[in-house]
Amino acid sequence: MKKISNLLLIVGLLYGCSLNLPLYSKTFKSHHLTDGTFKNNYLDSIDKPFSELLKWRWNRVNPEPVAFTLAENDPSFLKKNLTEPTLTWIGHSTVLLQFEGFNILTDPHMTQRASPVSFAGPKRFMKPGISIEELPHIDLIVISHNHYDHLDRLTIEKIYQKQKDQPPKIYVPLRQKRWFNALDITNVVEMDWWEEQEFEVWKIHAVPVQHWSSRSPWDRNEVLWAGWVLEHPKFKFFFAGDTGYSKDFIDLARKFNGFDLSAIPIGAYAPRWFMKQSHINPEEAVRIHQDINSRYSVAIHWGTFILTDEPVDEPPKKLKTALAKNNIPNENFFLMQHGETRSLKFLLR
Ligand code: ZN
Ligand code: ZN
């Protein structure tokens, strides 16, 4: 019996390899390295030498901030809304998604700086579209990775404090849980790529994207990074987090049969020689929108913090150009104003 199962395993592995099956169906975890760190599926670690960082940062002048219009929203409506599907862009990669009574936040960052310290580091030039106090009760939070513009300790602590009696469930990539536990935040689930968990009627999937992680010079790639697929019986949402362009999106398309809505980053891409591996530009964002067969996408990760060299109002312009080039209507990959709430009724089938 044992011989037969061994034989089946060997045949299965050989057959699987020869068919070039997508990564999620392989039995080994090639992104786990023996030293305990993680790597990308289609690129070894994004580990630029310090000299390259210096070459970029030396004599660099920050682009000028732009005062975008902050849209008005209605926190009291958001607090009591149980029926209308809505999306509110709070800024950067933080969106509030409301669907059938569930309130979901992605990478919540609603404080002043994307930095380990409160007195220095990238400061937001557009204030959050809604304050923590005005937020409705949050049921679920997904965190893509631990960079300071995506994982903000103060925001997490304040939301947790505000909902002490009914804390949100927080989904994080592998090995990120201990960071939360150190803050006495325990309602946290950590997941590896291609793992799946149930949350009420939702299926939560952690999926690979091409990026890296670190909170200090000494912890590079010790914690995993991920995109998230949130699957409701009536609605499939993809949150890309932070990513470079890779074949991971072809794998994603093979596993999920398209998405109703995807939140895809369009900013923090210049200079390309330094950023390309870890940050897509608007053209690549459109390519991902097409690769994964998303009915609609919303642009995130722009116009909030100055992190890179492109003018802060360039990503939306380039997005429109890339959409026109691919004959995709602007409504299908839409931009939002900071703070804007949009009804998602139009995408219900
Ligand atoms: Zn990042
Ligand atoms: Zn980022």
Side-chain angles (χ1 to χ4, degrees):
M1 191 65 191
K2 201 174 169 200
K3 270 185 187 162
I4 295 173
S5 61
N6 279 346
L7 190 70
L8 282 176
L9 183 71
I10 292 165
V11 171
L13 283 174
L14 288 174
Y15 196 56
C17 294
S18 68
L19 277 180
N20 197 16
L21 288 175
L23 272 174
Y24 64 82
S25 64
K26 289 183 181 169
T27 47
F28 60 89
K29 293 186 169 177
S30 57
H31 59 292
H32 290 232
L33 297 177
T34 47
D35 66 356
T37 62
F38 299 99
K39 76 174 213 31
N40 289 294
N41 281 333
Y42 295 103
L43 183 76
D44 287 335
S45 129
I46 295 170
D47 199 0
K48 300 240 183 256
F50 190 63
S51 57
E52 297 252 297
L53 180 69
L54 265 187
K55 189 176 138 196
W56 171 44
R57 304 295 294 195
W58 201 254
N59 286 335
R60 175 178 174 264
V61 181
N62 263 340
E64 285 298 308
V66 171
F68 297 108
T69 312
L70 196 64
E72 282 199 15
N73 50 48
D74 184 351
S76 63
F77 163 75
L78 294 173
K79 275 183 183 168
K80 57 177 194 282
N81 176 29
L82 296 173
T83 50
E84 178 151 3
T86 71
L87 185 74
T88 303
W89 185 41
I90 296 175
H92 205 53
S93 299
T94 311
V95 303
L96 167 67
L97 173 69
Q98 298 191 297
F99 199 84
E100 294 209 341
F102 290 95
N103 294 326
I104 298 168
L105 276 183
T106 61
D107 286 356
H109 193 307
M110 299 165 74
T111 61
Q112 275 300 305
R113 286 185 196 274
S115 161
V117 289
S118 61
F119 54 86
K123 195 176 174 192
R124 67 192 309 142
F125 62 90
M126 285 300 292
K127 66 176 198 174
I130 187 166
S131 69
I132 293 170
E133 295 68 36
E134 289 169 329
L135 277 179
H137 175 90
I138 301 299
D139 302 289
L140 194 159
I141 293 175
V142 288
I143 302 288
S144 66
H145 66 301
N146 66 8
H147 287 155
Y148 287 93
D149 55 322
H150 297 260
L151 178 58
D152 184 51
R153 182 178 57 81
L154 264 180
T155 305
I156 295 283
E157 282 182 331
K158 282 186 180 166
I159 294 173
Y160 209 73
Q161 200 60 30
K162 186 173 164 239
Q163 293 187 200
K164 233 186 203 157
D165 300 332
Q166 276 183 296
K169 192 120 176 189
I170 307 177
Y171 288 86
V172 302
L174 210 57
R175 302 232 183 95
Q176 192 62 61
K177 191 174 168 173
R178 63 187 166 193
W179 181 90
F180 285 87
N181 291 164
L183 300 173
D184 281 333
I185 295 174
T186 52
N187 212 14
V188 180
V189 180
E190 63 177 21
M191 287 168 66
D192 199 354
W193 291 345
W194 302 122
E195 281 182 355
E196 178 186 321
Q197 294 265 344
E198 281 183 13
F199 175 78
E200 311 237 350
V201 293
W202 295 80
K203 276 187 191 153
I204 316 291
H205 308 257
V207 296
V209 293
Q210 183 166 295
H211 204 59
W212 56 291
S213 73
S214 83
R215 302 274 289 177
S216 77
W218 308 279
D219 66 347
R220 185 171 272 251
N221 299 337
E222 286 179 3
V223 171
L224 191 60
W225 51 96
W228 293 94
V229 174
L230 310 181
E231 211 178 347
H232 183 280
K234 297 182 199 162
F235 177 65
K236 222 186 296 173
F237 175 68
F238 171 54
F239 171 58
D242 236 357
T243 187
Y245 182 77
S246 73
K247 286 191 211 146
D248 289 307
F249 298 102
I250 306 290
D251 292 337
L252 201 63
R254 281 187 192 153
K255 176 158 167 82
F256 298 95
N257 187 22
F259 296 96
D260 295 302
L261 179 67
S262 301
I264 303 179
I266 63 161
Y269 50 79
R272 291 312 281 151
W273 66 266
F274 193 80
M275 293 295 164
K276 188 173 172 55
Q277 293 179 329
S278 53
H279 286 157
I280 50 175
N281 63 14
E283 292 80 43
E284 290 164 326
V286 170
R287 194 166 160 201
I288 290 172
H289 167 83
Q290 292 174 308
D291 282 353
I292 61 173
N293 191 16
S294 195
R295 292 171 62 213
Y296 294 92
S297 293
V298 56
I300 56 166
H301 205 260
W302 71 275
T304 311
F305 297 100
I306 293 171
L307 304 168
T308 48
D309 291 357
E310 77 272 10
V312 297
D313 56 355
E314 189 184 83
K317 292 177 192 161
K318 288 206 163 181
L319 175 66
K320 285 180 187 161
T321 310
L323 289 172
K325 217 163 131 185
N326 289 281
N327 293 320
I328 300 172
N330 287 343
E331 309 86 78
N332 288 27
F333 195 147
F334 57 89
L335 290 152
M336 294 177 80
Q337 289 185 311
H338 295 75
E340 180 186 342
T341 297
R342 194 171 287 204
S343 168
L344 296 180
K345 270 199 277 191
F346 68 92
L347 54 70
L348 293 182
R349 293 175 199 258

